């Protein structure tokens, strides 16, 4: 049995992981620490909060006193660290929150774990969840990101995640902390906050609103279903080598335009355009007619792609 602290467990990926972990390890003690900022939603965890093995702690990873109380009071031996500001557009408009949460928050969490765990002789694990965006941008035809790809972040968000990755690595090499890092590609699935591409396009289309697409729509992302991501994290937590990083990707490269067109076609089958009053009012016969190309995002990375060879070879 483990006593696991999941930070950011009321957010999109975190909530899916809480559900996944409890399903796989029903006897473990799970503490979910979340500050409940705009993207955190306890409704993502409906039905979980009544379980005796689960507890929610409303707290900030920058609050050292709160962290110390949780580590000591719950006997935490495992950390899975999701808590982060994660939207690139928001990082461009207000980078200070990203530095505070992603950099200083990760530092504070590492310090609290180090203080609580002493000489790390109790089989502890600290897994830091990061992103492929730390590697920068690829041109068409370039090989996918491996774990040894140089870091080249291009937004305040990716720079803050890169900084946190380096802190986690440093705590292993300096103090011997049993850390692991995962770098994932773009996730999609249940409970995703509606500012992200896929839920935004679905909701806008149903409501007959424009579908805003940056630039020419040719930016490429590697799409990963969130439960597959959770399975990968669990594999790394169980069997990954301390101090190493593992890329987790879906090996499913799509342009943004391909994603939007696919969603429009699926909606066309589930909710035909002639049955959607919003489209009928605009005299549109196809959801694709809602597509609207808007000025490109500042510093917009052209392509991400994950080489998941290490996790496949080492961890199956």
């Amino acid at each position: 049995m483990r006593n696991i602290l999941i930070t950011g467990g009321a957010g999109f990926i975190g909530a899916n992981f809480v559900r996944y972990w409890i399903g796989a390890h029903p006897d473990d003690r799970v503490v979910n620490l979340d500050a409940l900022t705009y993207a955190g939603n306890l409704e993502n965890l409906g039905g979980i909060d009544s379980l005796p093995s689960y507890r929610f702690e409303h707290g900030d990873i920058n609050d050292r006193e709160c962290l110390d109380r949780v580590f000591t009071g719950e006997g935490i031996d495992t950390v899975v660290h999701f808590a982060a500001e994660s939207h690139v557009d928001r990082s461009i408009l207000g980078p200070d929150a990203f530095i505070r949460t992603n950099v200083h928050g990760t530092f504070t969490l590492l310090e609290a774990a180090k203080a609580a765990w002493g000489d790390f002789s109790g089989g502890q694990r600290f897994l830091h969840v990061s992103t492929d965006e730390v590697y920068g941008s690829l041109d068409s035809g370039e090989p996918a990101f491996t774990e040894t790809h140089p870091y080249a972040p291009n937004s305040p968000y990716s720079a803050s995640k890169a900084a946190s990755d380096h802190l986690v690595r440093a705590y292993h090499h300096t103090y011997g902390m049993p850390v692991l890092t995962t770098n994932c590609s773009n996730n999609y699935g249940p409970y995703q906050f509606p500012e992200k591409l896929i839920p935004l396009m679905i909701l806008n289309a149903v409501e007959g609103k424009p579908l805003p697409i940056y630039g020419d729509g040719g930016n490429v992302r590697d799409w990963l279903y969130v439960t597959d991501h959770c399975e990968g994290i669990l594999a790394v937590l169980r069997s990954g080598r301390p101090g190493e990083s593992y890329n987790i990707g879906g090996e499913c490269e799509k342009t943004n335009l391909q994603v939007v067109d696919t969603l429009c076609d699926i909606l066309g089958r589930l909710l035909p355009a002639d049955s959607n009053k919003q489209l009928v009012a605009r005299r549109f016969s196809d959801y694709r007619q809602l597509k609207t190309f808007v000025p490109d995002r500042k510093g917009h990375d052209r392509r991400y792609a994950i080489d998941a060879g290490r996790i496949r070879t080492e961890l199956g």
Side-chain angles (χ1 to χ4, degrees):
M1 189 179 88
R2 302 193 77 89
N3 297 320
I4 181 170
L5 172 64
I6 298 173
T7 70
F12 163 45
I13 306 176
N16 277 280
F17 187 78
V18 168
R19 290 180 173 277
Y20 187 85
W21 183 276
I22 289 174
H25 302 90
D27 296 325
D28 286 0
R29 176 67 169 164
V30 176
V31 180
N32 173 11
L33 175 75
D34 198 297
L36 295 181
T37 55
Y38 73 96
N41 186 353
L42 289 179
E43 291 184 9
N44 295 343
L45 295 158
I48 297 291
D49 51 357
S50 61
L51 298 177
S53 61
Y54 170 83
R55 182 170 77 83
F56 174 72
E57 175 79 23
H58 186 193
D60 190 325
I61 55 172
N62 280 290
D63 184 344
R64 178 62 188 273
E65 183 178 340
C66 172
L67 293 177
D68 288 343
R69 184 176 67 252
V70 170
F71 271 92
T72 302
E74 297 285 353
I76 298 297
D77 53 43
T78 305
V79 174
V80 182
H81 176 35
F82 292 97
E85 296 285 347
S86 65
H87 195 238
V88 175
D89 286 353
R90 287 177 182 264
S91 81
I92 293 170
L93 295 173
D96 51 335
F98 288 73
I99 302 305
R100 180 180 181 276
T101 299
N102 299 356
V103 182
H104 192 268
T106 300
F107 161 72
T108 306
L109 185 62
L110 286 164
E111 281 287 288
K114 180 166 68 74
W117 290 348
D119 62 2
F120 311 118
S121 61
Q124 299 95 342
R125 306 282 265 181
F126 185 113
L127 190 147
H128 170 61
V129 180
S130 189
T131 171
D132 57 1
E133 296 192 38
V134 299
Y135 299 127
S137 183
L138 293 169
D139 291 330
S140 177
E142 275 194 279
F145 298 130
T146 67
E147 290 82 356
T148 59
H149 194 95
Y151 274 36
N154 291 318
S155 70
Y157 162 61
S158 57
S160 68
K161 290 299 289 186
S164 64
D165 291 8
H166 292 320
L167 280 170
V168 171
R169 173 186 168 87
Y171 270 64
H172 174 71
H173 287 275
T174 303
Y175 304 112
M177 183 179 286
V179 304
L180 300 144
T181 298
T182 57
N183 296 84
C184 70
S185 56
N186 277 43
N187 280 223
Y188 70 100
Y191 314 117
Q192 189 163 26
F193 195 71
E195 69 187 356
K196 300 291 187 173
L197 177 67
I198 290 178
L200 176 65
M201 294 299 126
I202 294 170
L203 292 171
N204 278 18
V206 168
E207 296 173 6
K209 296 178 179 179
L211 307 180
I213 301 169
Y214 280 128
D216 62 0
N219 299 78
V220 175
R221 299 295 180 261
D222 177 0
W223 289 95
L224 172 66
Y225 188 63
V226 65
T227 307
D228 295 333
H229 184 196
C230 293
E231 185 176 354
I233 291 171
L234 184 57
V236 173
L237 199 57
R238 282 176 172 167
S239 307
R241 290 177 290 136
E244 291 295 336
S245 60
Y246 294 86
N247 285 344
I248 305 177
E251 296 184 343
C252 180
E253 291 185 53
K254 303 288 182 184
T255 66
N256 289 343
L257 191 56
Q258 286 176 310
V259 171
V260 174
D261 283 343
T262 298
L263 294 173
C264 288
D265 294 345
I266 293 170
L267 279 170
R269 296 193 296 271
L270 297 175
L271 179 64
D274 59 8
S275 300
N276 185 327
K277 294 180 180 179
Q278 306 298 329
L279 265 67
V280 171
R282 299 186 63 180
R283 297 183 179 179
F284 284 175
S285 59
D286 191 309
Y287 287 99
R288 292 191 184 206
Q289 292 173 272
L290 295 170
K291 291 188 298 184
T292 304
F293 292 90
V294 299
D296 209 354
R297 182 165 68 199
K298 294 180 180 179
H300 199 179
D301 291 336
R302 188 63 175 176
R303 173 176 168 249
Y304 304 143
I306 283 285
D307 181 337
R310 173 178 287 179
I311 194 172
R312 182 182 300 107
T313 301
E314 290 189 17
L315 309 182

